[in-house]
Amino acid sequence: MIHEQSNLMNMIKEDTLLKETISNFSKITGGKIRRTLPANAFADANIEMTLGNQSHIFFIETKNEIRQTHIPNIIEKFSREQNKWLLVAKYIPGPQKERLKAASINYLEAAGNCYINVENLFIYINDKEVTPSRQTDTSKLWSAPGLKFLSIMLSQSIHLNAPYRQIAKAAGIALGNIGPLQEELKQEGYIQSSDQSPQLLNKEKLIQRWVELFHVVLKPKLTKGRFRFMREQQQKNWKDIPVNGFKWGGEPGADLLENYLEPQTFAIYTSKTTNEIVKQIKIIPDPEGNIEVYEQYWDEALLKDYSIPEEVALPLIVYAELMAGTDSRSWEIAARIKNKYLYGK
């Protein structure tokens, strides 16, 4: 029942966004948008857009605010039938609009800004002022402790059956969080109701939502500082650095997992103090540096029997960091890491 109510609320939000967008589009262009019968099970809605004597049928994907991490999945989803899809969003930052245009992805912002380029319609509007909505989930599941908890569940789903104390230790959060978080995971439809051998459901959706909020909610709280190598040669020989008390994330983590990416930026996760890691690795504070140091919140025991190099951070984190980049090669490697390390675990 609670899961059904959650779905209903999402449908109401999508409907409200679409109504606002249709109204503004009509005022600005004089065109019309009307809903049509569903023809695609993966679309949030179907519409017919008419401007003058020209019209076009679109499948609609609705989003509140488009972030960098949404772009690869949108491109992948739309790629086979690009001129049949239209992205409708409350807010799209300028850089993301440029990336969508470059990928020939049609979009329509609620305020009326749009890029629509199909056989018989071309509309480009980019002068309507928009304020970021910055809406995030208020539930505990999408708070910083909730995201830590989810990173354990998504990394090794065997923890669904683990004692609460073990889960709390693995995630680096208070014991009292575990029961409410597991219950919310079940209520949101991400875990089967049966108490016998529970399994994660809708894992792909859960991963993508985690990735999005990792960059907004959790990662800023883990940041210890930005640095650069003391000597240029250190970057070339980064694999020779003894790994003691830290893990490689981001591009170096991906290279260690897939051996297919020469790192230009470096992410380090450690439970050591900043002074300790600075002395150990011989790095220098630099606000423009290409090394970022973060707090390692998860327990080391989590990575045992995980079939990954011991010097690599959680593959989920490595995946999330690659998906925040702009290089399609990084997205390709991220997809490999997701399929290899986040499924079947």
Side-chain angles (χ1 to χ4, degrees):
M1 177 62 72
I2 295 175
H3 178 44
E4 292 174 357
Q5 290 174 344
S6 177
N7 286 338
L8 179 59
M9 290 301 297
N10 288 334
M11 290 172 62
I12 291 172
K13 289 178 182 178
E14 291 170 0
D15 188 63
T16 302
L17 171 59
L18 195 52
K19 284 180 179 178
E20 178 186 356
T21 306
I22 290 172
S23 175
N24 288 334
F25 176 83
S26 298
K27 290 175 185 176
I28 294 168
T29 66
K32 295 182 179 180
I33 295 177
R34 70 176 185 87
R35 294 182 187 237
T36 62
L37 293 174
N40 187 312
F42 299 101
D44 294 322
N46 289 24
I47 64 164
E48 181 180 25
M49 178 180 290
T50 302
L51 189 63
N53 296 323
Q54 305 298 326
S55 63
H56 194 84
I57 301 290
F58 286 106
F59 305 138
I60 298 296
E61 170 89 356
T62 58
K63 295 284 186 186
N64 180 53
E65 177 177 344
I66 298 299
R67 298 190 177 98
Q68 161 61 34
T69 51
H70 289 129
I71 302 295
N73 292 313
I74 290 170
I75 291 174
E76 181 181 1
K77 184 172 183 176
F78 291 12
S79 60
R80 294 181 183 176
E81 300 178 301
Q82 279 178 282
N83 51 332
K84 292 185 178 181
W85 281 93
L86 177 65
L87 174 65
V88 173
K90 184 77 173 177
Y91 173 66
I92 309 176
Q96 311 319 335
K97 288 178 183 175
E98 292 303 315
R99 296 190 62 199
L100 291 169
K101 277 178 58 184
S104 299
I105 300 296
N106 300 299
Y107 67 79
L108 175 57
E109 208 170 32
N113 296 312
C114 62
Y115 171 78
I116 298 168
N117 187 6
V118 292
E119 304 94 350
N120 49 2
L121 280 177
F122 178 77
I123 314 170
Y124 179 53
I125 301 170
N126 199 38
D127 61 354
K128 302 304 173 185
E129 187 174 352
V130 187
T131 302
S133 48
R134 302 295 182 193
Q135 293 180 2
T136 58
D137 294 81
T138 57
S139 68
K140 290 184 179 180
L141 195 59
W142 304 113
S143 64
L147 292 171
K148 291 178 179 180
F149 163 81
L150 285 172
S151 71
I152 303 306
M153 297 299 109
L154 290 168
S155 294
Q156 289 187 304
S157 56
I158 57 172
H159 281 84
L160 286 169
N161 295 307
Y164 283 9
R165 191 173 299 279
Q166 181 180 331
I167 298 172
K169 182 181 178 183
I173 60 177
L175 178 61
N177 287 312
I178 306 303
L181 287 171
Q182 282 207 341
E183 183 60 28
E184 190 171 335
L185 194 64
K186 185 182 296 184
Q187 291 177 353
E188 290 294 322
Y190 291 114
I191 185 173
Q192 64 185 25
S193 298
S194 172
D195 292 331
Q196 309 235 345
S197 301
Q199 298 292 323
L200 283 178
L201 306 174
N202 301 316
K203 192 170 183 178
E204 179 65 22
K205 181 179 177 181
L206 194 58
I207 289 172
Q208 298 313 321
R209 189 69 179 127
W210 190 93
V211 168
E212 177 189 341
L213 289 179
F214 168 71
H215 293 284
V216 178
V217 176
L218 182 55
K219 196 174 183 182
K221 296 180 183 296
L222 303 176
T223 302
K224 290 189 170 189
R226 186 180 286 270
F227 305 82
R228 63 178 170 83
F229 288 112
M230 190 178 294
R231 294 183 297 274
E232 184 178 338
Q233 195 65 24
Q234 288 175 275
Q235 179 164 329
K236 294 180 181 178
N237 300 323
W238 66 272
K239 287 184 180 180
D240 295 334
I241 299 173
V243 177
N244 179 21
F246 74 90
K247 305 289 182 186
W248 293 111
E251 293 181 5
D255 187 51
L256 290 169
L257 289 175
E258 291 297 307
N259 193 30
Y260 195 63
L261 187 68
E262 184 175 342
Q264 299 302 312
T265 61
F266 294 79
I268 292 172
Y269 288 82
T270 181
S271 55
K272 291 187 172 185
T273 67
T274 303
N275 286 339
E276 287 174 329
I277 208 71
V278 163
K279 291 178 181 178
Q280 177 182 337
I281 305 178
K282 294 181 173 56
I283 54 179
I284 301 171
D286 184 347
E288 303 298 324
N290 64 344
I291 304 171
E292 290 187 274
V293 178
Y294 301 97
E295 180 70 30
Q296 179 183 327
Y297 62 86
W298 64 91
D299 188 271
E300 192 67 23
L302 169 67
L303 297 181
K304 290 182 179 179
D305 302 321
Y306 195 19
S307 302
I308 66 169
E310 62 179 4
E311 63 267 32
V312 180
L314 294 177
L316 176 64
I317 288 178
V318 176
Y319 170 75
E321 289 170 324
L322 291 184
M323 291 299 285
T326 59
D327 184 1
S328 60
R329 188 159 170 253
S330 294
W331 300 345
E332 178 186 342
I333 298 167
R336 294 184 189 181
I337 290 171
K338 180 180 70 172
N339 292 333
K340 187 173 181 179
Y341 296 100
L342 299 183
Y343 284 93
K345 294 294 179 185

